Amino acid sequence: MTQPPPPPPNQPPQGGGFGPPQNQPPQPPTPPPGGPNLGKSPEPGYGYPQTPPAAPQTPPQTPPAAPPSGPTPQPGYGYPQTPPQPQPGYGYPGQQQPGAYGQQPGAYGQQPTPPYGQPGQPGQPGQYGYGYQPPTMPMQPQAGGPGGGGRKINAQMAIIVSAVVAIALIVGGGVWYANSSGDDGGKDDTASSGGKDGTDGKGGSGGKSSGGEEKVPSDPSSKVLFQVPAPAVPKDSSSIPTTGSWLTDKVYAKTGIAEVVGYDRDKGGKAWTIDLPGPVCEATHRITEDDKTAIIYKPAMPTKTEPQSCSQIAVLDLAAGKTAWTKPVETGGRPMSLDNVTLSGGTVAVGSTDGGIAWDIATGDPLWSPKPTDTCYDAGYGGGEKLVAVRKCGSYDARQLNIQTIDPKSGKVISEYKMAKGIEYAAVVSTEPLVVAADIGDSAGDGSGISDFFSIDNKTGKLLNRISAPGDDFGASCESITEVEDCRGLAVGNNRLYIATEEHESGGESYSRTNEVVAFDLTTGKQTGERADAGDGYTITPLRMDGGNVIAYKRPPYDKGGQVVSIDGGTFKQTTLLENPATEAVRDVESRMSPDYSEIRYAQGHLYMSQVYASEPSSADDKEYLAIAFGTSG
């Protein structure tokens, strides 16, 4: 799943037509009467998330300005930085509550860490010992503040910039492809991987390399293989979601408007088209071993008077190019509005404010659904090697989140970890090992949805470690309000959490910005001391694991093409797998596919980048693209 950009400039979604795009940092759904218990009255403010901030425009990348003539350049990475002067209002230090966790950002690797097994002091980032239950940190609604989910504010400000004039892009061919590593819940085709990753299960700082499937090409220079023009949006709509993209042995599949299309992975010709009655709302990034995946969609095209609910579930056969099965989902005689979908162990599971439902992937037979007497509900699931539920109990001002590892066939709870009361949202970063992210008391302060990570033993439900990740230091994000397993800027493998740092000045003469990837040991909760630098002017984002190595995308400076690199899990040495052309025409298209809100898929010399919205062009002369594909020659 992905986190979308805001609507294009000067083109806000109209109140009628298709309504709010489904994949925006979502506006809170109106809860059904009493949640899953349809006989109860709704509670005031029940589950109501905070309003996401408005997204200002971000201009396209430009050459850096000449160095300023007074201030001394910032020192390099790791040097204690002078914090910026706080602005009054949200996040002003004088308004912070004492004892809030994760509100003392510092240089990477320099946070004070209490001894293993002892809690950190309130107000200090600390790692918590085995089984330690942190004190309650209630979340207070704040109008206009970050919504406890979504991406970083700098990503929320990123929008589709001015479109480029149609330019013929060079098309190459003759490249080869192999699937990325999968797991027993299906192939993992996403930024955060919970699949088979070469995990050695041991602590320490060594990490592990080898076991990956990505081969180093003889020449990493890539060419544009093909591009998919942006589809025309329906009348009376300024934008519509197009979330969902997948790779198989034969096709690159991408959601369009009320359709999913399979493209030849090298030449871009249409291999098949699956027509749908309405637009796709959500899609899992996971694929089964026999190339099946799942989507949530609307039963008809929305209109001003009939906006439609995301009430349909479908399993798609990407090998055959057809729908395997589809079902309407109702509760109490009305369509159920579904929020998220995932796959694990032959099961497709969806979450919503009405509760969770699951079916057998192969047959479509129901496996479980909410009970009328339920007072708690499954808000969503994380899939892959395990199936993990985020179960919500209580009202908004007294929320209890339970992280449950469950049997994918029966729904039986195998283990459970109870988070501190008052935490409204949590995201499943990985199911094996089990890692969960949450923003405790909105202390991240940046809309990322992350102030802390929780490493949990999914066999016993015991907390292994709580890892503080201050928003000022780290660049990962999770859209935890509804999508549950949509996290970016991180990956999990080798018993480690690999996470991108926040952007900072590179310290060089160019005055450009850069960042790094660092690692936390999930056994000790401490940073390992390893670091992969993006390089001057680049910013690096982990995409997924490849055996024991990390696959990452490097967003380029204004005069270069983007790169895909493999970071060795043992040495942190980087190997370039692909480097895109630096021509202006290609850079203009690539720059609109930011990893903060676009979908990026990479495997064996093939890179596919796609938008999660189709929108009206700013002028009749502009040319926009839904997707672009790159490939190396060998």
Side-chain angles (χ1 to χ4, degrees):
M1 296 299 302
T2 60
Q3 299 177 49
N10 304 317
Q11 299 180 37
Q14 301 174 1
F18 283 83
Q22 296 298 317
N23 292 324
Q24 293 254 136
Q27 297 296 320
T30 302
N37 188 344
L38 302 180
K40 295 175 61 178
S41 299
E43 301 177 22
Y46 181 74
Y48 194 87
Q50 299 146 26
T51 304
Q57 299 183 10
T58 298
Q61 295 178 351
T62 57
S69 60
T72 303
Q74 292 289 332
Y77 174 88
Y79 189 87
Q81 301 289 323
T82 301
Q85 293 299 315
Q87 299 296 320
Y90 181 80
Y92 189 70
Q95 297 176 345
Q96 292 178 356
Q97 298 296 320
Y101 290 92
Q103 294 190 2
Q104 288 192 351
Y108 309 121
Q110 295 186 6
Q111 294 99 334
T113 304
Y116 180 72
Q118 298 183 12
Q121 296 299 315
Q124 296 180 349
Q127 285 72 34
Y128 293 82
Y130 186 93
Y132 178 80
Q133 182 74 16
T136 299
M137 296 298 300
M139 295 179 65
Q140 299 297 328
Q142 299 183 17
R151 54 195 170 274
K152 311 284 286 189
I153 281 179
N154 60 355
Q156 289 177 332
M157 292 192 296
I159 59 176
I160 302 176
V161 295
S162 57
V164 296
V165 177
I167 299 173
L169 299 176
I170 300 173
V171 177
V175 294
W176 57 282
Y177 170 92
N179 271 319
S180 59
S181 178
D183 55 42
D184 59 12
K187 302 169 191 175
D188 198 346
D189 201 25
T190 185
S192 56
S193 173
K196 297 177 182 178
D197 53 22
T199 301
D200 56 12
K202 299 178 181 179
S205 61
K208 180 180 180 181
S209 60
S210 78
E213 295 184 0
E214 298 302 335
K215 298 176 176 60
V216 180
S218 57
D219 181 2
S221 299
S222 73
K223 294 182 179 180
V224 175
L225 301 178
F226 63 88
Q227 62 277 348
V228 180
V233 297
K235 186 179 180 180
D236 298 328
S237 296
S238 59
S239 66
I240 190 169
T242 57
T243 184
S245 59
W246 307 267
L247 283 174
T248 74
D249 290 333
K250 295 182 178 179
V251 300
Y252 166 67
K254 173 62 187 169
T255 295
I257 296 178
E259 66 179 7
V260 177
V261 179
Y263 300 93
D264 180 280
R265 64 179 185 260
D266 293 326
K267 298 180 181 180
K270 289 186 179 181
W272 47 257
T273 299
I274 299 173
D275 293 318
L276 301 167
V280 173
C281 304
E282 301 291 345
T284 180
H285 56 264
R286 302 187 186 278
I287 308 174
T288 64
E289 292 299 327
D290 58 349
D291 291 336
K292 290 185 174 65
T293 191
I295 59 171
I296 298 168
Y297 67 97
K298 293 187 175 185
M301 296 301 292
T303 65
K304 292 181 179 180
T305 57
E306 295 291 338
Q308 303 293 331
S309 296
C310 299
S311 59
Q312 309 287 306
I313 175 74
V315 167
L316 307 180
D317 187 335
L318 302 178
K322 65 181 182 180
T323 301
W325 56 263
T326 183
K327 294 179 182 294
V329 185
E330 296 184 348
T331 180
R334 61 176 176 81
M336 181 182 288
S337 183
L338 307 175
D339 292 331
N340 54 77
V341 59
T342 195
L343 307 177
S344 180
T347 293
V348 54
V350 298
S352 74
T353 54
D354 286 309
I357 305 176
W359 300 265
D360 184 278
I361 293 175
T363 64
D365 294 337
L367 299 176
W368 71 79
S369 61
K371 298 179 176 61
T373 56
D374 285 347
T375 57
C376 302
Y377 66 96
D378 290 357
Y381 301 93
E385 288 196 58
K386 305 287 185 182
L387 186 61
V388 174
V390 176
R391 189 165 179 81
K392 290 191 174 186
C393 301
S395 60
Y396 175 83
D397 58 351
R399 180 72 71 208
Q400 173 67 61
L401 288 189
N402 300 328
I403 308 301
Q404 298 177 335
T405 299
I406 61 179
D407 182 278
K409 290 300 183 184
S410 66
K412 179 181 178 181
V413 177
I414 297 171
S415 67
E416 179 178 80
Y417 171 68
K418 294 182 179 294
M419 303 192 76
K421 286 187 177 180
I423 300 175
E424 178 68 18
Y425 306 107
V428 180
V429 177
S430 168
T431 62
E432 180 62 26
L434 178 53
V435 179
V436 173
D439 186 358
I440 310 301
D442 288 334
S443 58
D446 58 0
S448 65
I450 303 172
S451 67
D452 295 81
F453 293 96
F454 298 79
S455 175
I456 302 167
D457 185 334
N458 57 20
K459 295 180 180 179
T460 64
K462 297 292 186 180
L463 178 67
L464 301 177
N465 269 292
R466 175 172 161 179
I467 300 171
S468 178
D472 286 349
D473 286 353
F474 298 98
S477 63
C478 291
E479 200 296 277
S480 53
I481 296 177
T482 60
E483 295 179 16
V484 178
E485 65 172 353
D486 181 11
C487 293
R488 293 165 180 262
L490 46 73
V492 175
N494 299 325
N495 201 43
R496 283 162 181 75
L497 168 66
Y498 299 93
I499 181 170
T501 66
E502 190 59 274
E503 293 181 22
H504 58 84
E505 290 188 5
S506 64
E509 294 182 358
S510 66
Y511 291 89
S512 60
R513 298 184 69 78
T514 188
N515 75 328
E516 301 77 30
V517 171
V518 297
F520 283 90
D521 187 298
L522 295 177
T523 299
T524 65
K526 298 179 180 179
Q527 286 194 40
T528 64
E530 298 153 328
R531 187 183 80 195
D533 297 326
D536 193 16
Y538 289 89
T539 54
I540 189 169
T541 301
L543 298 178
R544 61 176 174 83
M545 298 301 299
D546 174 42
N549 303 326
V550 181
I551 302 299
Y553 172 73
K554 286 187 176 183
R555 187 168 172 82
Y558 74 96
D559 58 347
K560 298 183 187 302
Q563 297 178 352
V564 175
V565 298
S566 176
I567 304 171
D568 188 281
T571 65
F572 260 54
K573 177 183 177 182
Q574 297 181 49
T575 301
T576 301
L577 301 177
L578 176 145
E579 183 167 12
N580 289 335
T583 61
E584 182 179 0
V586 175
R587 286 190 285 107
D588 283 344
V589 178
E590 183 178 5
S591 66
R592 291 185 244 166
M593 308 288 188
S594 166
D596 290 327
Y597 52 76
S598 300
E599 294 175 339
I600 300 179
R601 307 288 183 244
Y602 175 82
Q604 298 297 354
H606 283 59
L607 174 66
Y608 303 86
M609 310 177 75
S610 66
Q611 301 282 14
V612 293
Y613 282 102
S615 58
E616 293 180 343
S618 56
S619 74
D621 296 330
D622 289 338
K623 181 71 173 180
E624 296 185 359
Y625 296 100
L626 177 66
I628 186 169
F630 300 92
T632 61
S633 58

